[in-house]
């Protein structure tokens, strides 16, 4: 067992309960899993990043890794833009639209749907987040199984390959050290044994291969 900690950060409309299966698998991989909850709609990503920085400050561990799903990765973009988190380890993001989300832009243009995004669009989902800074070893896992709520919220807007909510191209950034695709949807990545194995490998070795 290692005494290193992995902090898991959820996406929009979530509560962190969805991350428990992944966190439990990472615990079997030897890590201590912690879960950071933030109000994804009521506070903008930069504010949630400051809350995350305070949360990380209180963790007593030699190294703290970060694993973020979807909007959680944009919160991490703000976290690193604001400064260096304490005891930084490796970073893995799952389906984070670092380039902005076409689904979010489509929703934002429609008043009846805009309220569903809350404050997540402020420096976030519209493509106006800070560019990803590759200060620490970071990897992205993107899904290619085209099944998800994004197809219903923004019909015909997603270009393949995509995970039903986020396109693979939206997850790319020159600041990432590695990018990997899996045949999972945006949500099913959180429950996949294969994805958990990839995350564990990256945290241990710094690569998905």
């Amino acid at each position: 067992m290692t005494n290193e900690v992995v902090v898991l950060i959820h996406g929009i409309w979530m509560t962190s309960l969805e991350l428990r299966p992944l966190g439990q698998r990472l615990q079997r991989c030897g890590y201590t899993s912690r879960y950071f909850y933030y109000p994804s709609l009521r506070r903008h990503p930069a504010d949630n990043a400051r809350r995350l920085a305070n949360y990380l400050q209180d963790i007593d561990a030699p190294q703290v890794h970060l694993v973020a799903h979807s909007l959680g990765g944009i919160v991490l973009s703000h976290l690193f833009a604001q400064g260096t988190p304490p005891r930084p380890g490796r970073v893995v993001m799952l389906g984070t639209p670092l380039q902005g989300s076409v689904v979010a832009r489509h929703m934002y243009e429609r008043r009846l749907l805009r309220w569903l995004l809350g404050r997540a669009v402020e420096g976030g989902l519209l493509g106006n987040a800070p560019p990803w800074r590759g200060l620490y070893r970071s990897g992205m896992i993107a899904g290619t199984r085209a099944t998800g709520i994004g197809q219903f919220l923004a019909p015909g807007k997603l270009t393949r390959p995509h995970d039903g909510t986020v396109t693979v191209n939206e997850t790319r950034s020159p600041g990432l050290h590695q990018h990997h695709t899996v045949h999972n949807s945006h949500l099913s990545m959180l429950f996949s044994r294969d994805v958990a194995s990839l995350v564990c490998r990256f945290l241990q070795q710094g690569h998905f291969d």
Side-chain angles (χ1 to χ4, degrees):
M1 291 289 290
T2 177
N3 53 2
E4 297 177 4
V5 169
V6 180
V7 174
L8 294 96
I9 303 110
H10 63 82
I12 193 170
W13 307 323
M14 296 187 178
T15 66
S16 81
L17 290 177
E18 304 83 359
L19 295 171
R20 301 287 167 159
L22 175 58
Q24 290 169 2
R25 289 185 173 119
L26 293 180
Q27 287 185 173
R28 289 196 287 271
C29 194
Y31 296 96
T32 298
S33 294
R34 300 277 295 270
Y35 305 90
F36 174 70
Y37 167 77
Y38 65 96
S40 62
L41 299 183
R42 289 189 292 106
R43 295 181 181 269
H44 51 73
D47 190 13
N48 286 318
R50 286 187 285 270
R51 294 159 61 92
L52 175 57
N54 292 333
Y55 179 86
L56 296 174
Q57 190 70 47
D58 293 335
I59 296 178
D60 183 16
Q63 197 166 46
V64 180
H65 304 286
L66 302 170
V67 175
H69 178 240
S70 196
L71 180 65
I74 291 176
V75 173
L76 291 187
S77 292
H78 284 275
L79 176 73
F80 284 97
Q82 293 168 6
T84 303
R87 299 172 299 282
R90 292 176 174 141
V91 178
V92 179
M93 288 174 280
L94 310 175
T96 293
L98 292 174
Q99 302 297 330
S101 165
V102 66
V103 172
R105 285 191 287 267
H106 176 83
M107 294 173 63
Y108 188 75
E109 291 169 357
R110 285 149 182 81
R111 184 167 300 183
L112 291 178
L113 296 177
R114 185 181 300 175
W115 67 274
L116 291 171
L117 299 172
R119 303 194 68 183
V121 297
E122 299 178 30
L125 294 176
L126 299 185
N128 49 0
W132 180 254
R133 301 170 63 196
L135 299 177
Y136 304 98
R137 192 74 181 174
S138 58
M140 175 74 72
I141 300 176
T144 61
R145 186 174 182 181
T147 305
I149 192 172
Q151 293 173 294
F152 302 99
L153 293 173
K157 298 297 182 179
L158 288 165
T159 58
R160 292 180 182 270
H162 63 81
D163 63 8
T165 301
V166 174
T167 71
V168 170
N169 282 337
E170 290 171 343
T171 66
R172 297 191 184 277
S173 169
L176 293 168
H177 294 95
Q178 277 208 314
H179 190 281
H180 190 85
T181 58
V182 294
H183 189 59
N184 287 96
S185 68
H186 194 66
L187 184 60
S188 71
M189 280 191 283
L190 301 180
F191 307 97
S192 166
R193 294 179 185 274
D194 291 339
V195 169
S197 295
L198 286 168
V199 174
C200 182
R201 187 178 306 155
F202 193 92
L203 297 182
Q204 291 177 335
Q205 303 175 16
H207 58 78
F208 294 121
D209 304 327

